[in-house]
Amino acid sequence: MKKIGFYLLSLLSVTSISNACPVCFGAPEDPITEAAGMAIMFLFVIVCVMLTAVISFFYTLRKRAQQHQALVDAVGYDPEENIK
């Protein structure tokens, strides 16, 4: 517990290190600052699109597995049992 307190105190005492970089610290209406903001938003959108694609892929797999199980239960025959 003392280690956590020490690390927390150390982190709080060096807050000057965590200041913004010169580009982000500049004027908010500067073209470079606006470009950096747009780049961050673009990368955020890409991450969201990729996460949505992964989630929808696993949702589709789950849905197909449920459909397959319903078919096996209805027919009473599983073609995967005969695979050796």
Side-chain angles (χ1 to χ4, degrees):
M1 188 66 179
K2 288 183 181 183
K3 273 188 172 182
I4 294 173
F6 173 73
Y7 289 131
L8 185 61
L9 184 62
S10 299
L11 182 65
L12 291 175
S13 66
V14 291
T15 55
S16 62
I17 295 172
S18 63
N19 283 341
C21 65
V23 173
C24 299
F25 194 68
E29 298 301 321
D30 193 32
I32 293 176
T33 307
E34 289 179 5
M38 293 302 290
I40 290 169
M41 289 305 295
F42 175 75
L43 291 174
F44 179 71
V45 168
I46 294 297
V47 168
C48 289
V49 167
M50 293 304 297
L51 285 175
T52 303
V54 169
I55 290 170
S56 65
F57 172 72
F58 283 110
Y59 177 76
T60 302
L61 286 180
R62 180 176 176 260
K63 188 173 160 183
R64 286 185 182 180
Q66 288 174 346
Q67 289 174 348
H68 176 74
Q69 188 62 41
L71 182 63
V72 167
D73 291 342
V75 174
Y77 171 73
D78 190 3
E80 294 179 3
E81 290 178 355
N82 294 334
I83 298 175
K84 294 181 182 178

